[in-house]
Amino acid sequence: MGDAHGEGLPPDGETPVHLVEMRVFAIDETTVRNRDFAAFVAATGHRTTAEASGSSTVFHALVDRDDPAVLGASVDAPWWLAVQGADWRHPAGPRSDLDGLDDHPVVHVSFDDAIAYCAWAGRALPTEAQWEMAARGGLPGARFPWGDEREPDGRSMCRIYTPSFWGAPFPGEPASRVGVAATLPASALPPNGFGLRQVIGNVWEWCADRFDPRYYRRSSDVDPGGAERGGARVLRGGSYLCDDSWCRRYRVAARSHSTPTSTAGNVGFRTVGRG
């Protein structure tokens, strides 16, 4: 586990690189899709964190800033807008819907929502170690699930927008993204060596672990389960907003975190079988 190339941000705690022994486990090929989450909601009546709070965060280029549903921008990240009525059914705000997005990853789901889904499905969130082992696809130390080159043989293998796509360095201009779906279908692009798809660059994925940037210094070398304390939970995989002009967290070793009740248009999850 860990960043073998020295590319991570120190606060993310991607080092030291360390060997981890894992028991066999089964993990989803893709992130949980909108159709999967809809079945869960239909069966349980679950109301998501975003629905209960009445709003969630949407990338600025996916919604008109003059839309009355826009409540305001984040002080620390002004490209994120709080949008009233944004939730898993309305990923870009109340004027949007899931038409044509059944196979896209569900977004605007909190860690708590993911846990509720897992309880219904008889599954669990992967530990951070399980996620990284599965995402590597059998390539120890590689930057990406397919190797070290971002675009091997000139082919774009990851779902990463570039400055040329945005028309400007991240976060780009709103006009450059109007009418373009942010996510790709969960099964898009080739699988890695273990058969997993979209493990990087589509949506961030919740993991079971509590986040601690110092955890790798003392973690167990057999089936580590994360820090014992801490309010934030680990996120892995990067999203459609990761770009070289802003961050490089679409690497397999990259770590991030958020609070269990946070929601956004670029966060989803996949599950593992319970041990």
Side-chain angles (χ1 to χ4, degrees):
M1 290 187 71
D3 173 22
H5 301 274
E7 298 170 324
L9 300 174
D12 290 343
E14 295 181 27
T15 56
V17 175
H18 55 291
L19 292 175
V20 170
E21 181 180 349
M22 302 292 297
R23 288 174 293 180
V24 173
F25 61 95
I27 189 168
D28 293 339
E29 175 186 350
T30 71
T31 54
V32 172
R33 302 163 298 176
N34 284 313
R35 69 168 70 218
D36 306 319
F37 201 78
F40 157 61
V41 171
T44 64
H46 179 79
R47 192 174 185 219
T48 62
T49 300
E51 290 171 299
S53 68
S55 67
S56 188
T57 52
V58 178
F59 186 64
H60 75 101
L62 299 177
V63 61
D64 187 342
R65 280 182 179 265
D66 295 330
D67 190 320
V70 175
L71 303 177
S74 168
V75 174
D76 297 327
W79 48 88
W80 281 115
L81 303 178
V83 178
Q84 188 173 25
D87 55 46
W88 75 274
R89 289 189 179 93
H90 309 93
R95 297 182 183 180
S96 65
D97 56 37
L98 296 180
D99 185 29
L101 301 180
D102 279 355
D103 287 327
H104 285 237
V106 65
V107 292
H108 295 292
V109 285
S110 67
F111 175 88
D112 293 341
D113 295 326
I115 290 295
Y117 176 93
C118 288
W120 170 77
R123 306 283 288 176
L125 287 178
T127 65
E128 188 175 13
Q130 286 175 326
W131 189 96
E132 184 168 330
M133 182 178 184
R136 288 195 175 280
L139 299 178
R143 285 187 175 91
F144 308 117
W146 54 85
D148 287 335
E149 298 298 321
R150 175 170 161 170
E151 297 183 3
D153 302 323
R155 294 176 299 161
S156 180
M157 297 290 288
C158 53
R159 174 52 156 155
I160 305 299
Y161 293 121
T162 64
S164 60
F165 180 93
W166 291 106
F170 180 89
E173 296 296 330
S176 66
R177 293 282 292 118
V178 172
V180 179
T183 55
L184 281 177
S187 60
L189 301 182
N192 71 2
F194 291 155
L196 275 70
R197 297 178 184 270
Q198 291 289 353
V199 287
I200 65 167
N202 202 17
V203 294
W204 283 104
E205 301 179 23
W206 289 111
C207 290
D209 305 37
R210 298 180 185 275
F211 177 78
D212 181 346
R214 298 173 297 277
Y215 179 63
Y216 282 6
R217 303 175 190 175
R218 62 178 186 279
S219 63
S220 170
D221 58 3
V222 178
D223 289 314
E228 295 182 357
R229 298 180 181 179
R233 297 287 178 165
V234 171
L235 288 164
R236 284 301 204 112
S239 81
Y240 56 84
L241 295 180
C242 286
D243 180 75
D244 285 348
S245 66
W246 172 246
C247 76
R248 290 178 56 83
R249 287 197 181 99
Y250 50 81
R251 297 168 294 102
V252 175
R255 310 173 74 205
S256 191
H257 61 282
S258 195
T259 59
T261 57
S262 67
T263 61
N266 67 339
V267 177
F269 66 103
R270 76 180 70 213
T271 71
V272 296
R274 286 179 171 164

